[in-house]
Each structure stands twice: as C-alpha cells, then as structure tokens.
C-alpha cells in the first residue's frame, strides 16, 4: 500500500505501527490506516480498535472489503473517512478535512438531489449507499452507480458491498447512462428494490 | 501477443484469470485505446456463469494495479441489449482477435449469438 501511495509524487510516506501510514502532502501530515483485508464487513468494533490504537487517524482504507451498517456514518461523526483506496487518495490530495472529501460522483449526486424540495439531507451510509432524508416523508435508503452501463453484475457487486443494508432503491446517476437492461431490472425487482435512472428518481422522491 | 497487452502486463494476467474462470470474451475499451498513459484500463468481461466476475474481483486487487483496471462484466444478452460493442470502440483481448477489425467484430457477435443459442437449448 505504501508503495502504491508513493507513486504519487506529491506524497511522502512513512510507516506507523503495523497498519498505519503517515502521508505528508500539501504541507499536511495525515495518518491513514489500512484495515485488515478479511472477508467480513468492517464493523464498529474494528473501527473503535483502530481509532484507539492510532490516535489522530483521519482515514481508514478498506481494500476489497465493505463497511458494515453505521460504520461510515459513525466514523464521519468521529472525524474519520472510511473509504476505498481511490477515494482516500483523493482525500489526501484535497486541502479540506479528509472526512469531508467528496469524489466527483458524490458531489454530482448531492447537487442534483439537494435541488429537490423534498430532500432535506443526503447522508453517506456505505460504499455508494445513501440515506436520503426528506421533509415530511420517510427517509429513503438508496445505492447508486455512476457508470455509463449498469449490468446485473454491478448490481450484485453493489449489494455485496453493503451486505447488511436494506435499500429501498438503486439509482443510476450517470446522466449519460445507457438505459437499464431487462436482466438488471428483473434482478432488482427480485431483490425487492425499485430501480431508477436519476431523472426518474425525482418522481419517486415525492411519494411516500 | 497484443501490443496493448505488451504495454500493460497486468492485462495479460487478467486475461489469463478470466480464461481460467470461464469468461467468454475479454475486451479493452476507453482511453487505453487512445492514450499510452490512461488513468485506468477499462475492461469488459463477457460471461455466462455469474461466478466469473466474482472470481476476478476476488483474485486480484484491481484498484491497486498501475494503471488500475476498471472492470465491467456483462452477460451476452446485456451486451446485445445495451449495444455495448456497437457504440463503444473496443479491442478484443480474448479469444485472440483476428487482425481484421471488421472480421473480429463479426466473430465476436457470432460467438455471443452461439453462446446465447446454447443457453436457450
């Protein structure tokens, strides 16, 4: 992981303990920790253990691993970003607090949803997973994909990345998305979820 | 060997993994076809057995490769329905393509049709 981060010429990397990396970039020295790559979801207990062992940790990288329900939100409340390698790298390159990092897809999703009069807040609850809080209506939990294509395997992967989440809907947010295949629509229905392209999701926001 | 695979050895490894896992086809598309230093390598894997993409994701740290590999996996009917290989310029990495692009595209469509026919039977 350190060698991969070192490919970025703006980063100076140092090891901290067994799993910590001190990354100096833009004059800031920030501590990130790489979680053990085990098959189980990354849970609250592990979050507590890491934050206790690595004081000042600002980000936790999950490689081929998913966060359990509440972990992303709890970590953010404690000032910590829990995310993929790509997003943590993006956060290290940014000037602001790492916990506030939004990649381009997230920024786009937020900007679109928050224009709806029904949406009061959008809270990140997993990898590509969000709780859409609405005024006077119940929250909706959605998982999103920003790719041009959304084949059924991507749906399975998204659900696999958020194994204990029960989403109301899956939303394809890419404005140039190439429609939805019959196979992916059938799979979403079978999984008990609604499925939308982003423009069509706005109609759903108005309904209970 | 394809010059693209020569340029990015991780592609060769992915193609081998895909073949072992039972993928029908592997295609390279996106910026890697235009640039010698793309941000990532976009790879399409066509499969019938849903374990194929699962196996590929669990076999290698795609995100950590240089450049990272962005994998998309589709069944033959999704490739057809979304017109993927019609609308997106792509180069086939597996099975090894014919050098004639038109022939390669035709062969690819035929392979997919054959597999779909087998599926129906």
């Amino acid at each position: 992981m350190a060698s991969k981060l070192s490919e970025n010429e703006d980063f100076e990397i140092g090891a901290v303990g067994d799993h910590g990396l001190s990354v100096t970039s833009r004059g800031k020295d920030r501590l990130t920790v790489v979680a053990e790559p085990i098959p189980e979801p990354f849970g609250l207990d592990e979050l507590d253990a890491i934050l206790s062992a690595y004081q000042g940790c600002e980000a936790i990288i999950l490689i081929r691993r998913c966060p359990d329900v509440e972990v992303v939100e709890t970590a953010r409340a404690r000032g910590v970003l829990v995310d993929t390698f790509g997003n943590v790298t993006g956060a290290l390159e940014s000037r602001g607090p790492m916990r506030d990092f939004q990649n381009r897809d997230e920024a786009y999703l937020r900007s679109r949803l928050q224009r709806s009069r029904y949406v009061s807040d959008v809270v990140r609850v997993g990898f590509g997973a969000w709780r859409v809080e609405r005024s006077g209506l119940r929250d909706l939990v959605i998982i999103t994909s920003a790719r041009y294509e959304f084949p059924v395997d991507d749906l399975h992967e998204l659900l696999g990345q958020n194994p204990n989440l029960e989403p109301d809907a899956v939303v394809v947010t890419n404005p140039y998305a190439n429609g939805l295949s019959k196979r992916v629509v059938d799979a979403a229905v079978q999984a008990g979820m609604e499925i939308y392209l982003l423009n069509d999701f706005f109609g759903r926001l108005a309904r209970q | 060997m394809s010059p693209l695979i020569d340029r990015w050895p991780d592609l060769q490894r992915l193609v081998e993994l895909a073949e072992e896992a039972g993928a029908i086809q592997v295609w390279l598309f996106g910026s890697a076809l235009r640039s010698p230093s793309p941000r990532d390598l976009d790879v399409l894997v066509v499969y019938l057995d849903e374990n194929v993409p699962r196996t590929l994701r669990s076999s290698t740290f795609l995100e950590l490769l240089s450049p990272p590999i962005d994998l998309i996996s589709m069944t033959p009917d999704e490739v057809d329905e979304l017109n993927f290989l019609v609308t997106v310029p792509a180069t086939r990495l597996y099975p090894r393509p014919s050098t004639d692009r038109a022939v390669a595209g035709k062969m690819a469509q035929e392979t997919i049709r054959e597999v779909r026919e087998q599926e129906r039977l």
Side-chain angles (χ1 to χ4, degrees):
Chain A
M1 187 64 62
S3 63
K4 181 68 186 168
L5 281 169
S6 302
E7 289 175 10
N8 188 321
E9 292 173 358
D10 295 333
F11 292 170
E12 277 179 39
I13 315 292
V16 179
D18 289 340
H19 302 288
L21 294 168
S22 153
V23 183
T24 305
S25 167
R26 295 178 178 274
K28 286 185 175 177
D29 189 19
R30 301 194 269 204
L31 178 59
T32 68
V33 173
V34 183
E36 291 276 6
I38 56 176
E40 289 77 30
F42 180 81
L44 288 172
D45 289 350
E46 208 172 338
L47 174 68
D48 284 341
I50 286 178
L51 297 187
S52 163
Y54 293 89
Q55 306 282 328
C57 169
E58 290 186 58
I60 297 170
I61 300 174
L62 301 189
I63 296 290
R64 228 162 54 186
R65 207 171 162 198
C66 55
D68 209 346
V69 174
E70 294 181 21
V71 164
V72 169
E73 203 176 346
T74 303
R76 189 175 188 282
R78 296 172 69 175
V80 177
L81 174 70
V82 174
D83 218 323
T84 58
F85 173 81
N87 282 339
V88 170
T89 303
L92 287 165
E93 288 168 344
S94 70
R95 291 181 189 279
M98 292 186 76
R99 70 170 177 186
D100 293 336
F101 174 75
Q102 293 177 16
N103 68 20
R104 203 173 43 181
D105 296 332
E106 177 174 350
Y108 177 74
L109 176 70
R110 287 180 181 281
S111 76
R112 291 293 311 274
L113 289 183
Q114 284 168 345
R115 275 184 233 162
S116 165
R117 64 190 168 104
Y118 298 102
V119 173
S120 55
D121 201 1
V122 179
V123 179
R124 184 165 174 261
V125 295
F127 284 178
W130 318 88
R131 186 176 63 248
V132 182
E133 298 180 352
R134 299 183 294 169
S135 313
L137 295 166
R138 74 175 177 89
D139 299 343
L140 290 175
V141 174
I142 63 171
I143 54 175
T144 58
S145 168
R147 300 228 274 194
Y148 291 102
E149 314 290 344
F150 188 62
V152 72
D153 176 61
D154 278 14
L155 175 65
H156 292 151
E157 189 185 6
L158 269 179
L159 292 174
Q161 284 174 344
N162 298 283
N164 297 321
L165 203 66
E166 292 182 5
D168 296 290
V170 54
V171 182
V172 179
T173 60
N174 191 308
Y176 304 105
N178 190 16
L180 297 166
S181 69
K182 181 178 182 311
R183 191 179 279 265
V184 79
V185 171
D186 289 349
V189 169
Q190 202 168 15
M193 289 185 311
E194 302 162 47
I195 184 166
Y196 299 96
L197 297 176
L198 183 57
N199 283 339
D200 301 326
F201 182 59
F202 287 98
R204 176 65 183 88
L205 286 171
R207 300 199 308 272
Q208 190 58 47
Chain B
M1 188 182 285
S2 154
L4 293 167
I5 285 184
D6 277 344
R7 187 178 293 161
W8 296 296
D10 287 330
L11 272 184
Q12 174 64 28
R13 178 74 188 124
L14 182 73
V15 167
E16 287 167 6
L17 283 171
E19 185 179 358
E20 281 166 28
I24 301 170
Q25 295 176 346
V26 181
W27 295 78
L28 180 68
F29 64 98
S31 58
L33 299 183
R34 304 182 298 271
S35 164
S37 50
R39 201 179 60 172
D40 54 18
L41 303 177
D42 294 303
V43 174
L44 165 69
V45 169
V46 185
Y47 70 96
L48 278 178
D49 177 351
E50 64 181 35
N51 288 317
V52 171
R54 226 172 272 165
T55 302
L56 292 178
R57 276 195 296 272
S58 64
S59 300
T60 183
F61 293 100
L62 298 172
E63 197 186 16
L64 298 185
L65 301 176
S66 295
I69 291 179
D70 191 6
L71 190 68
I72 186 163
S73 302
M74 292 188 195
T75 59
D77 55 288
E78 287 178 313
V79 174
D80 272 359
E81 191 180 348
L82 298 171
N83 271 331
F84 192 84
L85 292 172
V86 176
T87 55
V88 177
T91 292
R92 200 176 70 200
L93 304 176
Y94 171 80
R96 284 182 58 152
S98 160
T99 49
D100 181 323
R101 186 169 167 72
V103 173
K106 195 172 168 211
M107 281 173 63
Q109 293 300 331
E110 279 169 4
T111 307
I112 287 173
R113 265 194 292 278
E114 280 166 19
V115 170
R116 292 185 70 189
E117 193 56 38
Q118 285 167 17
E119 228 184 348
R120 272 188 218 109
L121 296 173

